Amino acid sequence: MVLVYAESPKGQFKKAAFEAVTYGKKIGDAMGKPCVALVIGNAENAGQLGVYGASQVVQANGAFENFDSQIFSEVIASVAKQMGAEVVVVNHSSSGKSLLGRIAVKLEAGSVSGVNTMPTLDGGFKVKKNVFSGKAIAQYEIKTPVKVLSLMGNSFPPVASGADVAVQALDITAPAARITVKAVETVDGTVPLPEAELVVSAGRGMKGPENWGIIEDLANVVGATTACSRPVADTGWRPHHEHVGQTGVAIRPNLYFAIGISGAIQHLAGVNSSKVIVVINKDPEAPFFKAADYGVCADLFDVVPRLTEAFKKFKAEN
Amino acid sequence: MKLLVCVTQTPETTTTPSFSADNTEFNTAGVNYIMNPYDEWYALVRALELKEAAGGSVSIVNVGPGTNDTVIRKGLAIGADDATRINAEPKSAMYVAKQIAEFAKAGGYDVIFLGKESIDYNGAEVGSMLAEYLDMPFVSFGTKLEMNGNTATINRDIEGGEEVVEVATPFVISAAKGLAEQRIPNMRGIMMAKRKPLNVVEPVAFDDPAVVVSYDLPNAKSAVKMVDPENMDELVRLLHEEAKII
Ligand SMILES: Cc1cc2nc3c(=O)[nH]c(=O)nc-3n(C[C@H](O)[C@H](O)[C@H](O)COP(=O)(O)OP(=O)(O)OC[C@H]3O[C@@H](n4cnc5c(N)ncnc54)[C@H](O)[C@@H]3O)c2cc1C
């Protein structure tokens, strides 16, 4: 059996949960085993996970409002044991990353974090992930009977293959938390970078923070999340959480606009898994052009507003 | 306060990885190594700041072979008091976590720091495994840490924002950008580091549950298609019709 922990932050599933269930279902199909989704705490219509392939949904009801890896991993590992899970899947998200290792230790299971391909099952359980921040790919073999995986975002688009299923309630008293959550602040309205499918990113070529209006305009029209290069975040032109690259956030959107970014190896490392890369740079020798699918060699201050207009026109016509 | 910082060694960030002919080994020839930036810039420095404010000690632990001593000495030069190297060639995150847990369990550490992930295998697994072995709370991706007696207030990165949590010692924290500012070791630090203890201990037996069996390089990009800067409608058309991305 494949057990998938479906995250429901603030009681809502996001795309990540559907991706994880879709992935779990595919692994289950390959193994000839069912995929069971586990929900911890509140979730609006947990039964909808059936649409993405869960044959059963188990929901731990209890006081699980705040995330604590100690408590959540205990629930996941005990359900995995009870139901005899052979594979446990979580998201490679801020909570999934702090659960993976704990679940693996509890189940004495081998784990691989940030997987982005289907495992192969012939001659051992093998699965791939990006290493060296996307500069290479490693294939791991998990040798233990139970396997624990965290799934990289934007690797398996959710596939609707079934219908809502009944939710089985699991009455678990949440153990007392040792971590108290005092405040949660999330920016609503924009898709967080690790989940974003469209990203508009800018670098030092912008000259100063006062010029970011054209980047935000483009991002708004495209419906993209904004990002930046490291020096831009280091000098405080943009907030730290926008910093992408080897020492920032690693992303794999469908479309990445790199505007006024030279394309240093440490920057490319975090973004080269993007499906399509568009580079706007006035220097024809900028290394980023070698990693790009489409390039525009020109002054960004001329081109970006023009591109925004072109997108507006396209949106109006389509 | 007794503080422990777990550090690892990674290839320098400009490294272009290459592999043996059968794609099973990472080629180490000509590769320069550094201390993992998250360990050095944020985890270690925040530990040192806490010690400077409230007293105590900062120890470094690394699981690795003798060739890691240069990187460990750098940690001592930045200001750690002593270091321990667990003499092994680690092949999995769980192996590393197990070794550090065995070393740390009787150490009475109040806070155990590590970087949010290593920049080579990008696993982010050791922290949560270590916390599990030691039965401690784990706060990942800390960007701010203030201590008030035995209670810590920590800001941590979550998807699209941040969370503020409170936790009592002992606990494990993984450090993200913002937790501290990088420190460059000075001459005095480098001289003093030579006399600081670097203990070597042998590992406990533990089988790797998951190991890398082969490597690959990503598919090379086909040549870039240049678009006329005067014709941005054309770029939008290509993204729509050719790349089918919008
Ligand atoms: C250990 C380490 C880790 C690092 N990690 C990261 C990381 O995670 N992420 C990261 O981004 N960097 C990282 N770096 C830094 C990296 O090496 C580069 O210094 C950085 O990416 C450069 O940022 P940039 O491209 O914005 O600036 P620059 O290199 O200064 O490039 C600016 C670009 O803008 C172009 N430009 C200027 N004006 C215009 C204009 N008017 N119109 C069009 N184009 C214009 C220029 O031609 C140039 O190509 C790291 C470095 C080290 C040593």
Side-chain angles (χ1 to χ4, degrees), chain A residues 94 102 111 113 129 132-133 135 137 139 141 143 180 182-183 185 234 243 266 293-295 306 313, chain B residues 13 15 120-123 125 136 159 162 164 166 177 209 211 213-214 216 221 225 227 229 233 242:
Chain A
S94 65
R102 284 200 188 268
S111 58
S113 72
K129 67 171 283 195
F132 299 100
S133 310
K135 287 189 261 185
I137 298 154
Q139 184 178 44
E141 179 174 0
K143 301 191 240 175
T180 324
K182 292 277 163 191
E185 276 163 44
D234 281 356
H243 160 192
Q266 298 94 351
D293 299 279
Y294 300 101
R306 229 182 279 150
K313 208 170 101 195
Chain B
T13 54
T15 309
D120 48 9
Y121 289 92
N122 312 108
E125 290 185 88
M136 285 186 190
E159 279 70 25
E162 66 169 13
V164 184
E166 229 174 59
K177 184 173 181 175
V211 290
V213 288
S214 66
D216 247 324
K221 282 257 174 196
K225 189 175 265 186
V227 181
D233 290 333
E242 189 179 81

Side-chain angles (χ1 to χ4, degrees), chain A residues 88-110:
Chain A
V88 179
V89 176
V90 299
N91 285 114
H92 197 55
S93 58
S94 65
S95 25
K97 286 178 195 171
S98 30
L99 290 170
L100 180 75
R102 284 200 188 268
I103 300 169
V105 169
K106 282 183 197 290
L107 299 176
E108 294 181 16

Side-chain angles (χ1 to χ4, degrees), chain A residues 202-207 228-232 243-248 259-267 280-283 286 298-301, chain B residues 12-13 34 37 41:
Chain A
R204 275 217 305 229
M206 292 298 295
K207 307 282 186 294
C228 68
S229 67
R230 176 168 162 218
V232 163
H243 160 192
V244 291
Q246 189 159 12
T247 52
I259 301 170
I261 302 176
S262 56
I265 187 164
Q266 298 94 351
H267 184 89
I280 300 177
N281 199 303
K282 68 175 179 189
D283 173 9
D299 191 315
L300 68 90
F301 294 103
Chain B
E12 200 255 325
T13 54
I34 57 170
W41 301 347

Side-chain angles (χ1 to χ4, degrees), chain A residues 10-314:
Chain A
K10 296 186 195 161
Q12 299 284 341
F13 295 119
K14 293 202 283 180
K15 196 181 73 181
F18 306 138
E19 289 179 350
V21 175
T22 300
Y23 184 65
K25 157 82 173 153
K26 282 189 165 212
I27 298 178
D29 285 350
M31 295 172 47
K33 302 279 167 70
C35 165
V36 176
L38 168 63
V39 178
I40 302 180
N42 281 335
E44 203 177 293
N45 183 15
Q48 65 178 304
L49 296 174
V51 172
Y52 300 96
S55 62
Q56 189 186 347
V57 176
V58 184
Q59 184 166 19
N61 297 318
F64 296 107
E65 279 80 41
N66 291 320
F67 178 75
D68 181 335
S69 65
Q70 237 167 345
I71 292 172
F72 279 50
S73 64
E74 183 58 42
V75 175
I76 298 168
S78 61
V79 171
K81 274 185 198 156
Q82 264 172 38
M83 302 187 81
E86 289 154 79
V87 179
V88 179
V89 176
V90 299
N91 285 114
H92 197 55
S93 58
S94 65
S95 25
K97 286 178 195 171
S98 30
L99 290 170
L100 180 75
R102 284 200 188 268
I103 300 169
V105 169
K106 282 183 197 290
L107 299 176
E108 294 181 16
S111 58
V112 180
S113 72
V115 299
N116 56 15
T117 57
M118 272 292 287
T120 56
L121 306 174
D122 292 337
F125 188 101
K126 294 181 188 153
V127 64
K128 291 182 183 177
K129 67 171 283 195
N130 283 359
V131 290
F132 299 100
S133 310
K135 287 189 261 185
I137 298 154
Q139 184 178 44
Y140 285 74
E141 179 174 0
I142 306 184
K143 301 191 240 175
T144 47
V146 179
K147 287 95 183 159
V148 190
L149 308 173
S150 67
L151 175 67
M152 189 74 177
N154 286 343
S155 306
F156 284 83
V159 179
S161 58
D164 282 24
V165 290
V167 179
Q168 185 194 329
L170 202 66
D171 286 311
I172 295 188
T173 331
R178 287 199 258 171
I179 295 179
T180 324
V181 176
K182 292 277 163 191
V184 185
E185 276 163 44
T186 47
V187 196
D188 286 328
T190 51
V191 186
L193 262 185
E195 298 163 20
E197 290 179 2
L198 306 166
V199 174
V200 173
S201 184
R204 275 217 305 229
M206 292 298 295
K207 307 282 186 294
E210 66 282 4
N211 297 328
W212 244 264
I214 54 169
I215 297 299
E216 277 158 5
D217 287 348
L218 176 61
N220 282 338
V221 172
V222 178
T225 304
T226 49
C228 68
S229 67
R230 176 168 162 218
V232 163
D234 281 356
T235 48
W237 292 3
R238 299 296 291 176
H240 280 312
H241 63 80
E242 284 197 2
H243 160 192
V244 291
Q246 189 159 12
T247 52
V249 186
I251 54 173
R252 44 184 301 139
N254 291 338
L255 178 57
Y256 184 73
F257 285 99
I259 301 170
I261 302 176
S262 56
I265 187 164
Q266 298 94 351
H267 184 89
L268 293 180
V271 304
N272 62 0
S273 307
S274 309
K275 282 204 191 80
V276 173
I277 296 179
V278 178
V279 169
I280 300 177
N281 199 303
K282 68 175 179 189
D283 173 9
E285 302 298 321
F288 223 140
F289 283 122
K290 291 202 177 63
D293 299 279
Y294 300 101
V296 182
C297 186
D299 191 315
L300 68 90
F301 294 103
D302 296 334
V303 167
V304 174
R306 229 182 279 150
L307 179 59
T308 306
E309 286 312 311
F311 265 110
K312 274 191 192 150
K313 208 170 101 195
F314 170 80

